[in-house]
Structure formats: structure tokens, C-alpha cells
Amino acid sequence: MRLLLISSSVVHGTGYLDHAEAELRDFLGATRRLLFVPFAQADHEAYTTRVRERLAAMDIAVEGLHAAAEPQAAIAGAGAVFVGGGNTFCLLAELQRRALLAALHARVLAGAAYVGSSAGTNLAGLTIGTTNDMPIVWPTSLQALGLLPFNLNPHYLDHDPRSTHMGEPRELRIREFHERNPQAVLGLREPAMLRREGDALNLRGAAGARLFRRGEAPAEIAPGAALDALLRP
């Protein structure tokens, strides 16, 4: 299985996917076509156009899944899939509505490279229960692709002790998740990325991550760390 999971498609001070371009080029290798899943945003065509124009600079052609005459066949024939960011609930609900979640899961297991950003990264975990997004629509289930045996929290933000904001910090939200759910949660800071190549899992990018396990203190993960053990919970 091959995964590249990006915390955020945009990092402060850079353009769309700029910070991830080198990693994308290395991950995709000779791939020159990919299937884009735009369902995390409302305007599927505009979103696909944005991705198509950006990846054209990398000599990669993009097909939007929303426009495919036969979506199941488009997924089955894809060598690489990119699931973009936006609202994770919308993304999962639309994949469920179109009955495409199982086909996407099967295609990645069969060898297609999977790139996710933000919501698309959330989708790779066991459930979307640790997304930061509001449930503006409600999927039939929170079960996601299960390409990893844990959950993800892209855009992970550390609590600032100097802040006067009285809302719950991200760490507390994840602790609340663990009151009801057993799986580990990996909080990916911006601009961190997670890359899986078979049984090898590595944290990439310039930022670290935090690993949360039920009943344990959070663990700091440095950029470049090997996380293979997380694939064997």
C-alpha cells in the first residue's frame, strides 16, 4: 500500500501544494495521470480545475471523479488517486451516497497510489471522528477507508499557554475522543506529511506530530521519524 497524507494543501507564505511539491514528485514518480476526488468542496468542477492547473505544472493530467461517466470504472482504472481537502463530512457522505467508498478502498489495496490532503487525509484513517470540521451534513457512518489502523487529526495545533481563548484546545478534544474510542490518533501539524510504502510508515515534512493513545501521555514525534509500529496496533 502506498499513501501520502498531507496535513494541509496550503501553508502560510506559500501557494497551493507548493510545500508538498517535492514530496509529491518523489511519491508519484513516473505517474502522469491521476484521479481527483473533489467531494470535500461544493463546487466540484471549480475545485478540479484548480487542482488540474496546479498539477499541470508538474506534467500530471487530472481527471475529476465527479465527471466520470462510469465512476466505478474510473476508480478501478486509476493508477493514482488524490482526495482533496475541504469538509470531511461532505467528502465521506458524498462517497457513501455514490457508493464509491468500497471501490476506492479496494483500488488502493490493489496498488493505486493514494494522496490525501486535510479531509482526504482524515479519510485514510479508521474513522473521521477526529476531524476538525463541522458536521454540516451527516454521513450514514463515520467509518472511513481504514487504510491505516488509527485516526488522524490534520492541522493539529498546539495549545498556546499565553492565549486567553477559553475554547477547548485540540489535545482536550482528542482526550474526549478517547473516552469513547480506543484507536490511536496522530495529530499532524502543518506542514507535516505521512508517507506509507508497504509496511514502512514515516513522518515527512518540516513539522512534527503528536501521537495520542488512550490512557497515555501524548508522545512527540520528530520529522523523519519511522512509525512502522503504528501499523501493528
Side-chain angles (χ1 to χ4, degrees), residues 26-46:
D26 183 68
F27 178 72
L28 292 172
T31 298
R32 287 295 169 261
R33 298 189 65 84
L34 62 74
L35 182 66
F36 180 62
V37 181
F39 301 145
Q41 295 190 20
D43 191 333
H44 301 156
E45 186 59 32

Side-chain angles (χ1 to χ4, degrees), residues 153-202:
N153 179 245
H155 310 281
Y156 179 80
L157 193 63
D158 295 289
H159 175 60
D160 182 355
R162 300 167 298 176
S163 174
T164 58
H165 177 63
M166 296 304 293
E168 293 86 347
R170 200 68 52 77
E171 180 177 339
L172 176 57
R173 290 296 193 196
I174 295 173
R175 286 209 306 267
E176 291 172 344
F177 173 82
H178 276 146
E179 291 175 1
R180 304 270 181 160
N181 300 273
Q183 65 263 39
V185 180
L186 187 65
L188 287 173
R189 296 187 182 96
E190 299 175 357
M193 292 169 271
L194 195 62
R195 182 163 168 176
R196 178 175 184 173
E197 300 283 355
D199 293 329
L201 186 68
N202 293 92

Side-chain angles (χ1 to χ4, degrees), residues 9-131:
S9 57
V10 179
V11 172
H12 180 70
T14 69
Y16 183 67
L17 291 176
D18 288 354
H19 73 286
E21 180 171 341
E23 193 72 36
L24 275 166
R25 286 184 181 275
D26 183 68
F27 178 72
L28 292 172
T31 298
R32 287 295 169 261
R33 298 189 65 84
L34 62 74
L35 182 66
F36 180 62
V37 181
F39 301 145
Q41 295 190 20
D43 191 333
H44 301 156
E45 186 59 32
Y47 194 11
T48 301
T49 297
R50 183 187 190 193
V51 171
R52 182 178 291 123
E53 291 175 351
R54 178 61 182 89
L55 294 187
M58 298 169 55
D59 298 319
I60 297 173
V62 172
E63 175 189 2
L65 180 57
H66 69 291
E70 298 289 342
Q72 297 275 353
I75 292 173
V81 178
F82 177 21
V83 183
N87 186 281
T88 311
F89 291 94
C90 289
L91 170 62
L92 180 57
E94 191 65 13
L95 285 168
Q96 291 171 343
R97 186 183 73 81
R98 298 178 184 233
L100 296 176
L101 195 67
L104 186 56
H105 179 267
R107 185 67 195 102
V108 177
L109 290 186
Y114 180 99
V115 178
S117 177
S118 189
T121 290
N122 273 319
L123 191 71
L126 281 178
T127 78
I128 66 164
T130 47
T131 177

